[in-house]
Amino acid sequence: MVPRGRLVPVVRTTTLPAPGPVRTCVGCRRRAAKSELLRVVAGAGTDGRPAVVPDPAGTAPGRGAHLHPTSECLQLAVRRRAFPRALRVREALALTPLEDHLTARPTVIDRQETGAGSS
């Protein structure tokens, strides 16, 4: 028990500050640097219906959500129904533009295995 009037030091879990802004993945709910996550917004798909649209540049207007660019986090977000809640929309959102973006995007592991970029 701490006597009244005495200050108790705050225990920090890490000594290093975060490398820039930190966001939470809507799929796995883990915190990560903003640069490691993909921003998504509510937009329109190719058919004109409401959809979850990737915003890799992070410049699209409106409310955004962040997601690790992996199929595992996408599946978790879908299972948790995270996109309508995070983007604050009531209608159902198509995932086709986001799925297309994730399948077309090469991962860091793929680039290392193929030797691309090595000298």
Side-chain angles (χ1 to χ4, degrees):
M1 183 160 176
V2 178
R4 288 185 145 239
R6 303 249 345 212
L7 297 177
V8 178
V10 175
V11 178
R12 295 181 70 178
T13 57
T14 180
T15 57
L16 299 174
V22 177
R23 301 290 184 264
T24 302
C25 173
V26 295
C28 66
R29 302 294 298 158
R30 280 187 258 153
R31 294 171 55 102
K34 182 179 175 182
S35 60
E36 296 175 15
L37 301 172
L38 174 66
R39 183 175 188 258
V40 296
V41 295
T46 55
D47 57 357
R49 291 182 29 224
V52 178
V53 179
D55 179 24
T59 57
R63 185 170 181 83
H66 292 82
L67 178 78
H68 283 109
T70 64
S71 59
E72 293 83 14
C73 283
L74 175 60
Q75 291 170 359
L76 284 169
V78 170
R79 191 173 69 208
R80 294 180 59 246
R81 299 182 189 130
F83 291 120
R85 187 173 42 251
L87 298 173
R88 295 187 182 168
V89 295
R90 293 181 187 240
E91 64 269 2
L93 296 170
L95 297 173
T96 307
L98 179 57
E99 290 169 339
D100 292 344
H101 178 79
L102 292 179
T103 56
R105 182 181 181 273
T107 61
V108 174
I109 295 170
D110 291 340
R111 281 188 255 145
Q112 289 176 350
E113 289 175 355
T114 59
S118 61
S119 302

